[in-house]
Amino acid sequence: MIKTPYLLFLGDAPDQLAAKVAQGIKDWRPDFAVGQFRMEGCKADMGLTDMTLDEAWAAGAKTLVIGVANRGGVISPEWRHVLAEALLKGFDLASGLHNLLSDEPELVEIAKAEGREMHDVRVPEVDYPIANGKKRTGKRCLAVGTDCSVGKMYTALAMDAEMQTRGMKSTFRATGQTGILITGDGVPLDAVIADFMAGAVEWLTPDNDADHWDLIEGQGSLFHASYSGVTLALVHGGQPDALVLCHEPTREHMRGLPDFTLPTLQELSDLAMTLASRVNPDVKPVGISVNTQHLSEADANAYLAELEAEMGLPAVDPFRHGAGRLVDALATLD
């Protein structure tokens, strides 16, 4: 188990979105977040107290969590001296990057000498099966997006929290490093060998009570030239009964792909339904989740109302306004 609480390492993140791991922990497990460590030039800010390693240790932090999810998931050379110093000062390290802590010889040597632990949460720990497409009991809801980093994890977490409040049977199923760090369990799907990705999602969402909902954390986008494969594995392995369409309306292009514009929500719905109905003919789109953080309250409400009229589905920002209407839509499928 990863020791809590955490000091969130933001490194030299070029923007707020690059520190989405730290943002997710701060928003959903604030009691885990003692403070933040930012290097010179960092453009991200969680609104937490900036701390040195000594200050964070004195405040009770036990693990330095790399809160940055950069393109390619690499440990920057500029970070290494901070990570090494943290180990020497008594911290464990935790990371969800593709570039593993265990592949860094200097860090491995220090951790061994100092008796520290290093957690690579993106390392699969199970021999996952190949998907078989067989129908499972229970119900499943998958968040799919027009792009990466539009709020798919937040949507599933918000819906699960609302369902727990109502006494409904539900489980948030983490499929990425941030979700795993928040909940302590899940499948690091984009690190699973491609032939086994859909099977890993089947394993993550097994047979359950007929009235139990798995809220599956979405990844990537079916339209993203870099990351569509992991999304399709979620669609086919998740065998969803319900889809929530996720969108961020202020994007000028797809994340990391300046030559690609975002699809429309209708295009997303059409493609996701075509692919999902292959494994579950009864799948339905039940709502739209919009990340309105860059819109004023008035503009957000107007945009959501416009979407509802256009798509005929409830449109909400579940983090800003609550996930109640999305959960209401799920309840109609019980």
Side-chain angles (χ1 to χ4, degrees), residues 177-258:
Q177 73 271 28
T178 308
I180 293 171
L181 284 165
I182 289 171
T183 64
D185 193 19
V187 170
L189 191 59
D190 60 7
V192 175
I193 294 173
D195 277 358
F196 301 92
M197 287 196 298
V201 182
E202 289 186 351
W203 175 90
L204 183 67
T205 59
D207 287 318
N208 218 313
D209 294 342
D211 57 348
H212 178 278
W213 280 95
D214 279 334
L215 288 309
I216 306 173
E217 178 189 4
Q219 299 291 335
S221 170
L222 291 169
F223 291 85
H224 201 288
S226 304
Y227 307 120
S228 57
V230 69
T231 315
L232 183 56
L234 282 161
V235 172
H236 281 167
Q239 204 176 78
D241 299 277
L243 295 173
V244 176
L245 314 176
C246 302
H247 183 56
E248 206 280 58
T250 67
R251 297 270 175 94
E252 296 181 358
H253 58 78
M254 299 198 80
R255 179 75 171 162
L257 299 177

Side-chain angles (χ1 to χ4, degrees), residues 5 7 54 68 81 109 119 162 172 218 220 229 265 295 305 325 332:
L7 173 63
D54 288 332
V68 186
H81 74 278
E109 183 178 348
H119 303 274
E162 174 68 18
F172 170 75
L265 280 162
L295 298 177
R325 296 180 65 216
T332 66

Side-chain angles (χ1 to χ4, degrees), residues 116-129:
R116 306 274 68 82
E117 295 183 358
M118 298 198 300
H119 303 274
D120 286 307
V121 301
R122 222 171 191 149
V123 176
E125 298 179 346
V126 174
D127 292 328
Y128 300 114

Side-chain angles (χ1 to χ4, degrees), residues 1 9 67 72 76 90 92 127 130 159-160 190 211 237 262 271 298 301 329:
M1 295 294 292
F9 176 74
S76 164
D92 291 344
D127 292 328
I130 292 176
M159 292 177 71
D160 180 52
D190 60 7
D211 57 348
L262 273 68
L271 180 57
N301 289 333

Side-chain angles (χ1 to χ4, degrees), residues 64-76:
L64 180 72
V65 173
I66 296 178
V68 186
N70 53 20
R71 188 169 175 83
V74 297
I75 294 175
S76 164

